[in-house]
């Protein structure tokens, strides 16, 4: 019942190319006005999730409204041709529950198991909640999705393996240092690859970064990105002594850091741990240096192998996550069922007694003795009660036998359809 | 007394359960199993502490009159150090390494029957419990240093083998090295103080125990202390390469424990 009222309209990195995703993306400032706008159009409540890989609108719709209308509304809002609707997916009921549970857990992400999506889901939820655009059903759904995501992440361990070169480098640093953000980082080179890897460290809080490049001006320019100190190229060997982590990626055809240099450096450092990430091809550091005590040297192949292995491991763990989500979706459905069933029974009891009361009222004036009124009321109450007892018992039994949807639908049609039909006629 | 024996088995049971959960928690559903492990560990610790205090009161002597009791006390202090350090450190993985020691010591104390020496006069001295507690704390802290050294070696090994992902969620190499060093220094200070208090009260109480003759135990204890002292000095000397330092410490700590408990066994 409640499940079928929630719809999802959306697109993601699997269903739509980047140029379409770019056009449909919402900035944070646009989200609340849009949610208010669709509320005026008849949506009971909505949550809009807009990230670089997906735009998804979760709406709680009354049965009188069609979700397709809001898809067209979305396209119109973003000035996108109607033909582009092929990139969108529309889900309802159980599929929405399963979808939000999966995406919150990172199982539907471009980088399998990435954790940022949970934060983005939370943000979207709070944005809708704070602006008064959330309904009880959406609230329950998102609260549960966040709970499930945490559970899946912790119990399947899906996020524990690095799947990118930069994440592998960061994981490596964490295995060596207690507080990576407090460590001194030296960047040798100013290319794209080193920028990607260094960004990960910078985003995680590393703010003691030094840059060195053959072209000093380029180093200065590059250093601005990370708020880094810049040193001359010839000074870098000395700088290694004071650094904890060296990331190197230059275009040099020969190694720029020799084993003998590192032996001297390590001796001066008194073998304090030093991590060198050499992502240059050909390598910037002599490969024999990896045997030096206290020095941990990794090249691009080491990191790539770790990332590949991590991805394989995540795929395996994702299967565990998928199974957990199936269980959670079933549990959530069960929870909603038991939330809906008493309401339905209550409506029936109320309706049946109302009919009985109407019938009593229609014959009351014909009664000659006042005392008979009480007897009549009791008799009608017993008849009504006996009549509805059997269907209610059967309904409860069917719900337990997992034929809940069919049973509730038949039950509703059987007892309330006429009323609904008459309401429709009245409205028309 | 019968009740005390039952309690002894009860806390041992909780430690064994905790150890089982600790082993299982390294796999799937890590967090829940870890919580169960820590809970059993804590319950075991509470029962162990109460039993220990009860024994102390009923005997009027710290229960360390023979090797069995000393092993039991060492196990308790080990767990106490673990829960005490929890206040300052995130040390959940340590339980995995610590519990085998605790269970081993307790099994040792329960399986074998040890002869209790006659109650000497100096048992009643206030210096006896001080000596025992300092000594046992020193042993416990040395075991912690040994555990962190093991973690250091494990982490170094997996990094050299290019196993980058920290599957066992162990502390970083830097943390393991730093904590190992801190525990070692503190433990050595406690051990040394424990030995000095023994010498002090031994001399002070000599007149009251004419049967007492310093012998193999005293000389052996000194040798074990010296072994640990040399390896600790090697570990702290920063000119030594880290892996060698750690290996030296592990060998030194193992020799120390073997000599020390071997002597008491003898």
């Amino acid at each position: 019942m409640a499940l079928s009222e929630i719809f999802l309209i959306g697109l993601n990195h699997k269903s739509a190319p980047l140029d379409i995703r770019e056009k449909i993306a919402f900035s944070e400032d646009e989200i609340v006005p849009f949610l208010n706008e669709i509320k005026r159009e008849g949506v009971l409540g909505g949550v809009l999730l807009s990230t670089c890989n997906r735009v998804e609108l979760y709406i709680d719709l009354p049965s009188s409204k069609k979700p397709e209308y809001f898809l067209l509304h979305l396209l119109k809002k973003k000035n996108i041709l109607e033909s582009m609707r092929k990139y969108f997916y529309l889900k309802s009921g159980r599929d929405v529950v399963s979808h939000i549970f999966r995406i919150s857990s990172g199982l539907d992400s471009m980088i399998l198991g990435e954790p940022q999506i949970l934060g983005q889901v939370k943000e979207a939820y709070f944005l809708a909640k704070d602006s008064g655009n959330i309904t009880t059903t959406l609230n329950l759904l998102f609260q549960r999705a966040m709970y499930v995501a945490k559970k899946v992440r912790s119990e399947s361990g899906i996020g524990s393996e690095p799947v990118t070169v930069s994440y592998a480098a960061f994981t490596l640093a964490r295995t060596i240092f207690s507080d990576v953000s407090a460590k001194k980082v030296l960047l040798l080179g100013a290319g794209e690859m080193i920028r990607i890897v260094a960004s990960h460290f910078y985003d995680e809080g590393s703010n003691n970064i030094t840059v060195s490049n053959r072209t000093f001006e380029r180093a200065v320019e590059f250093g601005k990105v990370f708020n880094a100190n810049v040193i001359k190229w010839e000074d870098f060997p000395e700088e290694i002594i004071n650094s904890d982590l060296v990331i190197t990626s230059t275009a040099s055809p020969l190694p720029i850091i020799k084993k003998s240099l590192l032996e001297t450096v390590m001796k001066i450092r008194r073998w304090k741990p030093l991590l060198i990430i050499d992502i240059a091809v050909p390598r910037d550091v002599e490969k024999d240096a990896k045997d030096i005590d206290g020095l941990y040297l990794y090249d691009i192949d080491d990191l790539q192998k770790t990332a590949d292995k991590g991805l394989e491991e995540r795929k395996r763990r994702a299967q565990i996550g998928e199974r957990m989500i199936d269980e959670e979706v079933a549990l959530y459905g069960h929870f909603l069922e038991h939330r809906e069933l008493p309401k339905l029974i209550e409506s029936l009891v109320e309706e049946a007694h109302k009919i009985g009361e109407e019938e009593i009222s229609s014959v009351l004036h014909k009664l000659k003795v006042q005392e008979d009124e009480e007897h009549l009321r009791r008799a009608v109450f017993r008849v009504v009660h006996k009549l509805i007892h059997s269907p209610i018992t059967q309904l409860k039994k069917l719900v337990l036998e997992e034929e809940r949807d069919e049973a509730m639908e038949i039950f509703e049609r059987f007892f309330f359809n006429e009323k609904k039909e008459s309401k429709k006629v009245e409205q028309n | 007394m019968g009740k005390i024996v039952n309690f002894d088995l009860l806390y041992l049971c909780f430690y064994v359960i905790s150890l089982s959960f600790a082993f299982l928690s390294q796999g799937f559903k890590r967090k829940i199993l870890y919580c169960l492990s820590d809970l059993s560990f804590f319950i075991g610790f509470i029962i162990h502490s109460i039993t220990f205090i009860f024994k102390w009161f009923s005997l009027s002597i710290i229960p360390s009159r023979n090797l069995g009791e000393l092993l039991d006390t060492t196990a308790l202090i080990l767990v106490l150090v673990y829960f005490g350090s929890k206040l300052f450190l995130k040390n959940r993985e340590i339980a995995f390494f610590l519990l085998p020691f605790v269970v081993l010591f307790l099994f040792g104390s329960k399986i074998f029957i040890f002869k209790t020496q006659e109650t000497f006069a100096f048992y009643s001295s206030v210096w006896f419990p001080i000596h025992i507690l300092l000594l046992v704390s020193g042993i416990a802290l040395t075991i912690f240093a040994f555990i962190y050294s093991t973690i250091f070696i494990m982490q170094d090994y997996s990094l050299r083998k290019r196993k980058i992902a920290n599957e066992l969620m162990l502390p970083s190499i830097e943390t393991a090295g730093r904590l190992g060093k801190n525990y070692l220094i503190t433990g050595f200070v406690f051990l040394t103080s424990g030995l000095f208090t023994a010498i002090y009260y031994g001399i002070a109480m000599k007149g009251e125990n004419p049967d007492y003759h310093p012998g193999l135990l005293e000389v052996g204890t000194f040798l074990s202390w010296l072994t640990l002292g040399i390896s600790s000095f090697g570990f702290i000397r920063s000119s030594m390469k880290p892996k060698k330092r750690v290996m030296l410490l592990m060998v030194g700590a193992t020799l120390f424990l073997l000599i020390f408990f071997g002597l008491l066994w003898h």
Side-chain angles (χ1 to χ4, degrees), chain A residues 196-229:
Chain A
I196 295 169
V197 177
S199 295
H200 204 106
F201 284 86
Y202 185 69
D203 293 344
E204 295 287 344
S206 290
N207 51 16
N208 195 352
I209 300 176
T210 304
V211 179
S212 187
N213 192 52
R214 278 187 204 278
T215 319
F216 188 73
E217 291 71 30
R218 186 125 189 252
V220 172
E221 203 56 39
F222 188 73
K224 284 177 189 166
V225 181
F226 304 111
N227 202 15
N229 304 315

mmCIF file of all heavy atoms in Angstrom, chain A residues 196-229:
data_model
loop_
_atom_site.group_PDB
_atom_site.id
_atom_site.type_symbol
_atom_site.label_atom_id
_atom_site.label_comp_id
_atom_site.label_asym_id
_atom_site.label_seq_id
_atom_site.Cartn_x
_atom_site.Cartn_y
_atom_site.Cartn_z
ATOM 1 N N ILE A 196 46.573 14.078 -9.038
ATOM 2 C CA ILE A 196 45.468 13.211 -8.600
ATOM 3 C C ILE A 196 45.810 12.553 -7.257
ATOM 4 O O ILE A 196 45.010 12.565 -6.323
ATOM 5 C CB ILE A 196 45.144 12.136 -9.675
ATOM 6 C CG1 ILE A 196 44.615 12.811 -10.936
ATOM 7 C CG2 ILE A 196 44.149 11.105 -9.153
ATOM 8 C CD1 ILE A 196 44.510 11.902 -12.145
ATOM 9 N N VAL A 197 47.009 11.992 -7.182
ATOM 10 C CA VAL A 197 47.404 11.281 -5.955
ATOM 11 C C VAL A 197 47.531 12.272 -4.782
ATOM 12 O O VAL A 197 47.009 12.035 -3.690
ATOM 13 C CB VAL A 197 48.723 10.501 -6.155
ATOM 14 C CG1 VAL A 197 49.167 9.826 -4.859
ATOM 15 C CG2 VAL A 197 48.561 9.462 -7.254
ATOM 16 N N ALA A 198 48.187 13.408 -5.058
ATOM 17 C CA ALA A 198 48.392 14.396 -3.981
ATOM 18 C C ALA A 198 47.053 14.970 -3.503
ATOM 19 O O ALA A 198 46.904 15.277 -2.317
ATOM 20 C CB ALA A 198 49.309 15.509 -4.465
ATOM 21 N N SER A 199 46.087 15.093 -4.422
ATOM 22 C CA SER A 199 44.755 15.633 -4.049
ATOM 23 C C SER A 199 44.132 14.796 -2.955
ATOM 24 O O SER A 199 43.490 15.315 -2.037
ATOM 25 C CB SER A 199 43.809 15.627 -5.245
ATOM 26 O OG SER A 199 44.279 16.486 -6.200
ATOM 27 N N HIS A 200 44.308 13.488 -3.059
ATOM 28 C CA HIS A 200 43.719 12.587 -2.074
ATOM 29 C C HIS A 200 44.278 12.884 -0.680
ATOM 30 O O HIS A 200 43.540 12.950 0.298
ATOM 31 C CB HIS A 200 44.021 11.139 -2.468
ATOM 32 C CG HIS A 200 43.039 10.176 -1.890
ATOM 33 N ND1 HIS A 200 42.068 9.568 -2.633
ATOM 34 C CD2 HIS A 200 42.853 9.746 -0.630
ATOM 35 C CE1 HIS A 200 41.332 8.804 -1.844
ATOM 36 N NE2 HIS A 200 41.800 8.883 -0.626
ATOM 37 N N PHE A 201 45.573 13.096 -0.626
ATOM 38 C CA PHE A 201 46.226 13.409 0.658
ATOM 39 C C PHE A 201 45.783 14.784 1.151
ATOM 40 O O PHE A 201 45.521 14.978 2.338
ATOM 41 C CB PHE A 201 47.752 13.364 0.507
ATOM 42 C CG PHE A 201 48.277 11.964 0.437
ATOM 43 C CD1 PHE A 201 48.343 11.278 -0.763
ATOM 44 C CD2 PHE A 201 48.671 11.305 1.586
ATOM 45 C CE1 PHE A 201 48.809 9.976 -0.827
ATOM 46 C CE2 PHE A 201 49.134 10.002 1.542
ATOM 47 C CZ PHE A 201 49.206 9.341 0.332
ATOM 48 N N TYR A 202 45.712 15.724 0.229
ATOM 49 C CA TYR A 202 45.309 17.093 0.575
ATOM 50 C C TYR A 202 43.874 17.092 1.106
ATOM 51 O O TYR A 202 43.585 17.716 2.131
ATOM 52 C CB TYR A 202 45.443 17.975 -0.669
ATOM 53 C CG TYR A 202 45.176 19.432 -0.410
ATOM 54 C CD1 TYR A 202 46.063 20.199 0.349
ATOM 55 C CD2 TYR A 202 44.047 20.051 -0.939
ATOM 56 C CE1 TYR A 202 45.820 21.544 0.582
ATOM 57 C CE2 TYR A 202 43.802 21.406 -0.712
ATOM 58 C CZ TYR A 202 44.690 22.130 0.048
ATOM 59 O OH TYR A 202 44.442 23.464 0.273
ATOM 60 N N ASP A 203 42.994 16.349 0.409
ATOM 61 C CA ASP A 203 41.581 16.278 0.836
ATOM 62 C C ASP A 203 41.439 15.617 2.202
ATOM 63 O O ASP A 203 40.493 15.885 2.932
ATOM 64 C CB ASP A 203 40.736 15.498 -0.192
ATOM 65 C CG ASP A 203 40.638 16.235 -1.507
ATOM 66 O OD1 ASP A 203 40.941 17.444 -1.523
ATOM 67 O OD2 ASP A 203 40.282 15.609 -2.529
ATOM 68 N N GLU A 204 42.359 14.738 2.526
ATOM 69 C CA GLU A 204 42.291 14.045 3.820
ATOM 70 C C GLU A 204 42.967 14.844 4.932
ATOM 71 O O GLU A 204 43.131 14.352 6.042
ATOM 72 C CB GLU A 204 42.936 12.649 3.725
ATOM 73 C CG GLU A 204 42.218 11.674 2.807
ATOM 74 C CD GLU A 204 40.901 11.156 3.363
ATOM 75 O OE1 GLU A 204 40.670 11.295 4.566
ATOM 76 O OE2 GLU A 204 40.106 10.628 2.564
ATOM 77 N N GLY A 205 43.407 16.034 4.605
ATOM 78 C CA GLY A 205 43.898 16.936 5.656
ATOM 79 C C GLY A 205 45.390 17.211 5.661
ATOM 80 O O GLY A 205 45.862 17.952 6.522
ATOM 81 N N SER A 206 46.148 16.642 4.722
ATOM 82 C CA SER A 206 47.593 16.939 4.678
ATOM 83 C C SER A 206 47.786 18.399 4.284
ATOM 84 O O SER A 206 47.327 18.823 3.213
ATOM 85 C CB SER A 206 48.296 16.057 3.640
ATOM 86 O OG SER A 206 48.324 14.748 4.080
ATOM 87 N N ASN A 207 48.434 19.148 5.140
ATOM 88 C CA ASN A 207 48.633 20.567 4.781
ATOM 89 C C ASN A 207 50.091 20.985 4.884
ATOM 90 O O ASN A 207 50.406 22.152 4.744
ATOM 91 C CB ASN A 207 47.736 21.476 5.628
ATOM 92 C CG ASN A 207 47.879 21.170 7.098
ATOM 93 O OD1 ASN A 207 48.844 20.506 7.493
ATOM 94 N ND2 ASN A 207 46.952 21.626 7.910
ATOM 95 N N ASN A 208 50.956 20.003 5.129
ATOM 96 C CA ASN A 208 52.384 20.311 5.145
ATOM 97 C C ASN A 208 53.010 19.725 3.887
ATOM 98 O O ASN A 208 53.642 18.680 3.910
ATOM 99 C CB ASN A 208 52.994 19.716 6.425
ATOM 100 C CG ASN A 208 54.362 20.285 6.712
ATOM 101 O OD1 ASN A 208 54.922 21.013 5.886
ATOM 102 N ND2 ASN A 208 54.910 19.949 7.857
ATOM 103 N N ILE A 209 52.774 20.413 2.770
ATOM 104 C CA ILE A 209 53.206 19.878 1.469
ATOM 105 C C ILE A 209 54.284 20.782 0.867
ATOM 106 O O ILE A 209 54.199 22.012 0.932
ATOM 107 C CB ILE A 209 51.989 19.763 0.504
ATOM 108 C CG1 ILE A 209 50.938 18.812 1.111
ATOM 109 C CG2 ILE A 209 52.417 19.295 -0.880
ATOM 110 C CD1 ILE A 209 49.661 18.687 0.326
ATOM 111 N N THR A 210 55.296 20.141 0.306
ATOM 112 C CA THR A 210 56.354 20.875 -0.388
ATOM 113 C C THR A 210 56.430 20.359 -1.822
ATOM 114 O O THR A 210 56.299 19.158 -2.048
ATOM 115 C CB THR A 210 57.711 20.653 0.327
ATOM 116 O OG1 THR A 210 57.556 21.030 1.692
ATOM 117 C CG2 THR A 210 58.822 21.459 -0.293
ATOM 118 N N VAL A 211 56.629 21.278 -2.758
ATOM 119 C CA VAL A 211 56.672 20.885 -4.182
ATOM 120 C C VAL A 211 58.029 21.248 -4.766
ATOM 121 O O VAL A 211 58.595 22.293 -4.461
ATOM 122 C CB VAL A 211 55.566 21.620 -4.982
ATOM 123 C CG1 VAL A 211 55.615 21.240 -6.446
ATOM 124 C CG2 VAL A 211 54.194 21.322 -4.413
ATOM 125 N N SER A 212 58.517 20.357 -5.615
ATOM 126 C CA SER A 212 59.740 20.673 -6.351
ATOM 127 C C SER A 212 59.591 20.170 -7.784
ATOM 128 O O SER A 212 59.081 19.064 -8.002
ATOM 129 C CB SER A 212 60.941 20.005 -5.675
ATOM 130 O OG SER A 212 62.123 20.444 -6.284
ATOM 131 N N ASN A 213 60.014 20.991 -8.731
ATOM 132 C CA ASN A 213 59.914 20.628 -10.143
ATOM 133 C C ASN A 213 61.094 21.241 -10.887
ATOM 134 O O ASN A 213 61.638 22.263 -10.449
ATOM 135 C CB ASN A 213 58.580 21.167 -10.704
ATOM 136 C CG ASN A 213 58.271 20.581 -12.057
ATOM 137 O OD1 ASN A 213 58.287 19.365 -12.225
ATOM 138 N ND2 ASN A 213 58.010 21.430 -13.031
ATOM 139 N N ARG A 214 61.457 20.575 -11.984
ATOM 140 C CA ARG A 214 62.606 21.114 -12.737
ATOM 141 C C ARG A 214 62.338 22.568 -13.158
ATOM 142 O O ARG A 214 63.203 23.413 -13.071
ATOM 143 C CB ARG A 214 62.869 20.253 -13.975
ATOM 144 C CG ARG A 214 63.673 19.009 -13.667
ATOM 145 C CD ARG A 214 64.035 18.293 -14.950
ATOM 146 N NE ARG A 214 64.275 16.880 -14.696
ATOM 147 C CZ ARG A 214 65.412 16.376 -14.240
ATOM 148 N NH1 ARG A 214 66.424 17.171 -13.982
ATOM 149 N NH2 ARG A 214 65.541 15.081 -14.038
ATOM 150 N N THR A 215 61.109 22.815 -13.626
ATOM 151 C CA THR A 215 60.750 24.193 -13.979
ATOM 152 C C THR A 215 60.141 24.838 -12.732
ATOM 153 O O THR A 215 59.045 24.451 -12.298
ATOM 154 C CB THR A 215 59.707 24.197 -15.124
ATOM 155 O OG1 THR A 215 60.075 23.207 -16.064
ATOM 156 C CG2 THR A 215 59.573 25.541 -15.792
ATOM 157 N N PHE A 216 60.866 25.765 -12.185
ATOM 158 C CA PHE A 216 60.459 26.345 -10.902
ATOM 159 C C PHE A 216 59.097 27.036 -11.000
ATOM 160 O O PHE A 216 58.248 26.906 -10.111
ATOM 161 C CB PHE A 216 61.526 27.344 -10.429
ATOM 162 C CG PHE A 216 61.279 27.849 -9.037
ATOM 163 C CD1 PHE A 216 61.496 27.037 -7.929
ATOM 164 C CD2 PHE A 216 60.801 29.148 -8.819
ATOM 165 C CE1 PHE A 216 61.249 27.491 -6.640
ATOM 166 C CE2 PHE A 216 60.549 29.609 -7.526
ATOM 167 C CZ PHE A 216 60.788 28.776 -6.449
ATOM 168 N N GLU A 217 58.861 27.749 -12.109
ATOM 169 C CA GLU A 217 57.603 28.496 -12.278
ATOM 170 C C GLU A 217 56.410 27.539 -12.238
ATOM 171 O O GLU A 217 55.367 27.835 -11.687
ATOM 172 C CB GLU A 217 57.595 29.268 -13.623
ATOM 173 C CG GLU A 217 58.569 30.429 -13.696
ATOM 174 C CD GLU A 217 60.029 29.987 -13.773
ATOM 175 O OE1 GLU A 217 60.315 28.890 -14.316
ATOM 176 O OE2 GLU A 217 60.901 30.737 -13.255
ATOM 177 N N ARG A 218 56.606 26.383 -12.863
ATOM 178 C CA ARG A 218 55.513 25.386 -12.884
ATOM 179 C C ARG A 218 55.249 24.872 -11.461
ATOM 180 O O ARG A 218 54.092 24.656 -11.078
ATOM 181 C CB ARG A 218 55.943 24.227 -13.813
ATOM 182 C CG ARG A 218 54.883 23.217 -14.050
ATOM 183 C CD ARG A 218 54.588 22.977 -15.514
ATOM 184 N NE ARG A 218 53.397 22.148 -15.597
ATOM 185 C CZ ARG A 218 53.415 20.869 -15.957
ATOM 186 N NH1 ARG A 218 54.538 20.318 -16.333
ATOM 187 N NH2 ARG A 218 52.294 20.196 -15.977
ATOM 188 N N ALA A 219 56.341 24.706 -10.719
ATOM 189 C CA ALA A 219 56.198 24.252 -9.327
ATOM 190 C C ALA A 219 55.420 25.278 -8.521
ATOM 191 O O ALA A 219 54.557 24.928 -7.702
ATOM 192 C CB ALA A 219 57.574 24.023 -8.722
ATOM 193 N N VAL A 220 55.702 26.564 -8.765
ATOM 194 C CA VAL A 220 55.015 27.641 -8.030
ATOM 195 C C VAL A 220 53.511 27.578 -8.345
ATOM 196 O O VAL A 220 52.660 27.620 -7.439
ATOM 197 C CB VAL A 220 55.605 29.021 -8.407
ATOM 198 C CG1 VAL A 220 54.781 30.155 -7.799
ATOM 199 C CG2 VAL A 220 57.056 29.112 -7.965
ATOM 200 N N GLU A 221 53.230 27.429 -9.614
ATOM 201 C CA GLU A 221 51.831 27.368 -10.068
ATOM 202 C C GLU A 221 51.117 26.154 -9.456
ATOM 203 O O GLU A 221 50.008 26.238 -8.943
ATOM 204 C CB GLU A 221 51.845 27.282 -11.609
ATOM 205 C CG GLU A 221 50.567 27.755 -12.284
ATOM 206 C CD GLU A 221 50.175 29.190 -11.895
ATOM 207 O OE1 GLU A 221 51.053 30.076 -11.769
ATOM 208 O OE2 GLU A 221 48.979 29.370 -11.685
ATOM 209 N N PHE A 222 51.821 25.030 -9.508
ATOM 210 C CA PHE A 222 51.284 23.756 -8.997
ATOM 211 C C PHE A 222 51.085 23.814 -7.475
ATOM 212 O O PHE A 222 50.092 23.323 -6.937
ATOM 213 C CB PHE A 222 52.279 22.645 -9.356
ATOM 214 C CG PHE A 222 51.792 21.255 -9.081
ATOM 215 C CD1 PHE A 222 50.822 20.661 -9.881
ATOM 216 C CD2 PHE A 222 52.302 20.515 -8.020
ATOM 217 C CE1 PHE A 222 50.383 19.371 -9.629
ATOM 218 C CE2 PHE A 222 51.867 19.227 -7.760
ATOM 219 C CZ PHE A 222 50.902 18.656 -8.575
ATOM 220 N N GLY A 223 52.040 24.468 -6.812
ATOM 221 C CA GLY A 223 52.004 24.574 -5.353
ATOM 222 C C GLY A 223 50.782 25.306 -4.838
ATOM 223 O O GLY A 223 50.291 25.026 -3.739
ATOM 224 N N LYS A 224 50.267 26.239 -5.664
ATOM 225 C CA LYS A 224 49.098 27.021 -5.250
ATOM 226 C C LYS A 224 47.894 26.117 -5.014
ATOM 227 O O LYS A 224 47.062 26.378 -4.139
ATOM 228 C CB LYS A 224 48.757 28.064 -6.314
ATOM 229 C CG LYS A 224 49.700 29.257 -6.304
ATOM 230 C CD LYS A 224 49.359 30.210 -7.428
ATOM 231 C CE LYS A 224 50.428 31.287 -7.561
ATOM 232 N NZ LYS A 224 50.320 32.018 -8.822
ATOM 233 N N VAL A 225 47.788 25.036 -5.811
ATOM 234 C CA VAL A 225 46.638 24.113 -5.694
ATOM 235 C C VAL A 225 46.576 23.509 -4.291
ATOM 236 O O VAL A 225 45.496 23.319 -3.737
ATOM 237 C CB VAL A 225 46.762 22.974 -6.756
ATOM 238 C CG1 VAL A 225 45.582 22.017 -6.673
ATOM 239 C CG2 VAL A 225 46.930 23.545 -8.147
ATOM 240 N N PHE A 226 47.760 23.203 -3.748
ATOM 241 C CA PHE A 226 47.801 22.525 -2.440
ATOM 242 C C PHE A 226 48.297 23.437 -1.326
ATOM 243 O O PHE A 226 48.637 22.959 -0.243
ATOM 244 C CB PHE A 226 48.701 21.284 -2.525
ATOM 245 C CG PHE A 226 48.282 20.325 -3.587
ATOM 246 C CD1 PHE A 226 49.052 20.129 -4.725
ATOM 247 C CD2 PHE A 226 47.100 19.625 -3.463
ATOM 248 C CE1 PHE A 226 48.657 19.254 -5.703
ATOM 249 C CE2 PHE A 226 46.691 18.748 -4.446
ATOM 250 C CZ PHE A 226 47.465 18.562 -5.566
ATOM 251 N N ASN A 227 48.362 24.708 -1.612
ATOM 252 C CA ASN A 227 48.832 25.657 -0.611
ATOM 253 C C ASN A 227 50.213 25.218 -0.093
ATOM 254 O O ASN A 227 50.461 25.192 1.117
ATOM 255 C CB ASN A 227 47.805 25.716 0.526
ATOM 256 C CG ASN A 227 47.913 26.981 1.315
ATOM 257 O OD1 ASN A 227 48.559 27.926 0.858
ATOM 258 N ND2 ASN A 227 47.327 26.987 2.498
ATOM 259 N N ALA A 228 51.078 24.829 -1.025
ATOM 260 C CA ALA A 228 52.343 24.168 -0.667
ATOM 261 C C ALA A 228 53.542 25.114 -0.692
ATOM 262 O O ALA A 228 53.522 26.161 -1.339
ATOM 263 C CB ALA A 228 52.587 23.027 -1.641
ATOM 264 N N ASN A 229 54.590 24.679 0.026
ATOM 265 C CA ASN A 229 55.882 25.380 -0.080
ATOM 266 C C ASN A 229 56.541 24.927 -1.372
ATOM 267 O O ASN A 229 56.342 23.783 -1.796
ATOM 268 C CB ASN A 229 56.822 24.964 1.061
ATOM 269 C CG ASN A 229 56.191 25.193 2.406
ATOM 270 O OD1 ASN A 229 55.599 26.239 2.631
ATOM 271 N ND2 ASN A 229 56.299 24.200 3.285
#
